[in-house]
């Protein structure tokens, strides 16, 4: 990927493709609200996740959390971009908890693409979604 927040068209398409495919795997029998997410890591790899709900409702997992967990498992430690695909037509923006989870691995300028079956509907930076965030820097070197 190019420096800064620049994402090229191929990266955007790859993120959307991965998030859409993941959405198709969602386990959302309770809300019927299927979500897919994909994260681009510092090595240019893409990791996807879907929401996984649970009969004990609070135990459900968001798509973004799954994608970030897949990135970490694969050895990725920096998220360069995140895409979220919901049902549409409204925007499926990451929940507050997932914004904080992303902050662990992403700087303020990392783009978050909000998409549906039609394409990218909105684009934010993580800093816009989670201003004045508490992050790893607050704890200093471990
Ligand atoms: N959900 C996500 O997976 N990601 C989001 O960005 C918003 C919400 C899930 C959680 C739950 O399984 C369902 O969507 C309805 O809230």
């Amino acid at each position: 990927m190019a420096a800064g927040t620049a994402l090229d068209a191929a990266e955007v398409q790859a993120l959307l493709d991965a998030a859409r495919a993941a959405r198709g795997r969602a386990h959302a029998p309770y809300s019927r609200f299927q979500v897919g997410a994909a994260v681009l890591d510092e090595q240019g790899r893409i990791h996807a996740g879907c929401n996984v709900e649970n009969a004990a409702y609070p135990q459900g997992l968001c798509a973004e959390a799954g994608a970030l967990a897949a990135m970490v498992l694969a050895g990725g430690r920096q998220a360069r971009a995140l895409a979220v695909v919901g049902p549409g037509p409204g925007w499926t923006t990451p929940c507050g908890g997932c914004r904080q989870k992303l902050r662990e691995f992403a700087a303020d300028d990392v783009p978050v693409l909000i998409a549906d079956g039609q394409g990218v509907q909105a684009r934010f930076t993580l800093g816009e979604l989670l201003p004045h965030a508490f992050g790893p820097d607050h704890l200093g070197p471990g």
Side-chain angles (χ1 to χ4, degrees), residues 28 31 33 35 51 53 61-64 84 92-95:
S31 72
F33 193 91
V35 184
N51 55 334
E53 297 183 350
L61 188 73
C62 286
E64 296 90 330
V84 185
T92 298
T93 47
C95 77

Side-chain angles (χ1 to χ4, degrees), residues 67-139:
L68 289 167
M71 182 189 82
V72 170
L73 179 62
R77 288 296 182 272
Q78 286 183 281
R80 297 299 192 199
L82 175 78
V84 185
V85 174
W91 299 347
T92 298
T93 47
C95 77
C98 285
R99 295 177 194 199
Q100 184 66 41
K101 288 181 175 71
L102 178 60
R103 182 63 186 81
E104 185 71 16
F105 304 105
D108 277 352
D109 64 353
V110 162
V112 177
L113 309 176
I114 309 302
D116 61 15
Q118 308 304 308
V120 176
Q121 301 299 327
R123 178 180 170 141
F124 301 99
T125 65
L126 177 58
E128 289 172 326
L129 294 177
L130 192 68
H132 310 292
F134 186 86
D137 292 350
H138 285 86
L139 300 181

